Amino acid sequence: MKVYLDNAATTPMDPLVFEAMVPVLKDGFGNPSSTHFFGRKIRSLIERARKNVAKHLNCTPGEIFFTSGGTEADNMAIQCAVRDLGVRHIVTSTIEHHAVGHTVEKLKAEGLVELTYVHLDENGHVDLQHLDQILSTCPKTLVSLMHANNEVGNLLPLERVSEICEKHGAIFHSDTVQTMAHYRFDMKVIDKVHFLTCSAHKFHGPKGIGFLYVNKDIQINPLIHGGSQERNMRGGTENVYGIVGLSKAMDVAFENLIAHKEYVIELKSYMIERLNSSIEGVAYNADCNNLARSLYTVLSVSLPPTDIAPMLLFNMDIMGVACSGGSACTSGANAGSHVLAGIEAPVDRPTIRFSFSRFNTKEEIDYAVDCLAELYS
Ligand SMILES: Cc1ncc(COP(=O)(O)O)c(C=O)c1O
């Protein structure tokens, strides 16, 4: 049996998405910047996709900029905010994805910004009082805090954070790569958020495509210079197949969002129950077994100390279960995770992250738990 429980790293493409992309892959070869028929036909696909994405987010198409994925979108938001919006101070956390963490560290190393890390509480949640306190003393600040953590699943109250940022005139960027198309975003409601990011391969779309949402109140210049694509905001011939796939993946996700969410929550709760009754001393990192305050697709399991800790992931892989030790970069090697260090997870307890999608089944969960229990027997 082969079981894929690493959906926070990437998800399998939905067949409906694949079908939507095929005609474009076969016949949609025109360059969208060409003014002749072949180009115009493809340009219209891009603009239709942009409108569709904007409809799902309840924003305007002009606020959506397609990128090569989440990493580029995070980079664009942060680097352009510093360069174009007079930001001299960034507030972030120690558990951000490297797309954010390494970007802000680079800006600090170049002497362009001061960096402050907001405190996390005992469950790994951002301490909002501390955030409020930091912002009350710092002008021209960018706050970059992820909506859901990709390793331990903690959720940030986006609206509340956006209100705190607004109170102090800070710009707010949230890495929503793990939550886009897993939750509804209504940009007319969370209208104080300035930047959001998306990556299609996290919700059964293709890899190498995503977008940056830029609130209409914010004016930035391109990060990637070249042609006049994306209304002069990102040079480079557009990834048309990807854009069409991303748009379709959003349609499929939002059409049955509640049903998919309930189904996956059921899988996650089932796995918690099965683990609790199969492995003595099992625990959960941060707040990921708190269903109300964690991303429903992620379960970060803290296992009892064992001599075979370095071999756990390898053995699970041999038994046919794909899971991860932390972020995707550490899959297959139980390398140290800055997130687990950031939440001060006990170093003697190995972590396995299981992450789910609507394509998983209870039988797969049973199999994965049985394999892990066997390793612990
Ligand atoms: C929270 C988060 N941000 C950013 C990224 C990067 O996205 P992409 O793979 O599209 O570059 C990921 C992917 O693992 C992620 O989980």
Side-chain angles (χ1 to χ4, degrees), residues 145-322:
L145 291 170
M146 67 204 312
H147 186 204
N149 185 274
N150 49 305
E151 293 192 37
V152 294
N154 278 17
L155 275 174
L156 182 82
L158 265 192
E159 198 172 348
R160 181 78 196 93
V161 172
S162 72
E163 284 162 6
I164 297 173
C165 290
E166 202 212 4
K167 176 172 140 196
H168 299 288
I171 293 163
F172 180 29
H173 159 244
S174 187
D175 176 338
T176 44
V177 165
Q178 290 289 339
T179 51
M180 187 62 70
H182 294 276
Y183 294 86
R184 276 201 189 279
F185 290 85
D186 185 335
M187 304 319 295
K188 296 276 185 297
V189 174
I190 47 168
D191 60 342
K192 311 291 183 294
V193 178
H194 299 104
F195 299 106
L196 292 184
T197 55
C198 166
S199 178
H201 73 100
K202 305 292 186 182
F203 53 95
H204 309 290
K207 292 176 181 53
I209 186 70
F211 65 78
L212 174 66
Y213 160 86
V214 183
N215 186 303
K216 60 181 175 334
D217 298 342
I218 293 281
Q219 293 293 322
I220 54 170
N221 296 314
L223 179 69
I224 296 179
H225 298 274
S228 58
Q229 291 89 352
E230 294 300 290
R231 303 184 310 292
N232 277 321
M233 277 289 287
R234 181 188 186 260
T237 303
E238 298 88 337
N239 173 359
V240 191
Y241 332 104
I243 291 171
V244 168
L246 180 152
S247 171
K248 183 67 185 179
M250 277 203 137
D251 285 345
V252 177
F254 283 116
E255 198 177 332
N256 286 305
L257 193 84
I258 293 172
H260 290 159
K261 188 173 166 190
E262 282 172 1
Y263 177 74
V264 176
I265 288 177
E266 175 74 25
L267 291 179
K268 178 170 168 173
S269 318
Y270 182 66
M271 189 167 215
I272 294 174
E273 267 170 45
R274 284 277 349 254
L275 285 166
N276 288 346
S277 58
S278 311
I279 300 173
E280 211 183 310
V282 72
Y284 303 93
N285 287 312
D287 221 7
C288 74
N289 57 333
N290 175 344
L291 296 176
R293 296 190 76 190
S294 71
L295 176 61
Y296 56 92
T297 51
V298 167
L299 185 64
S300 176
V301 184
S302 165
L303 292 154
T306 164
D307 291 346
I308 59 155
M311 297 300 286
L312 273 179
L313 280 183
F314 177 72
N315 284 327
M316 289 293 276
D317 186 28
I318 298 287
M319 292 161 114
V321 182

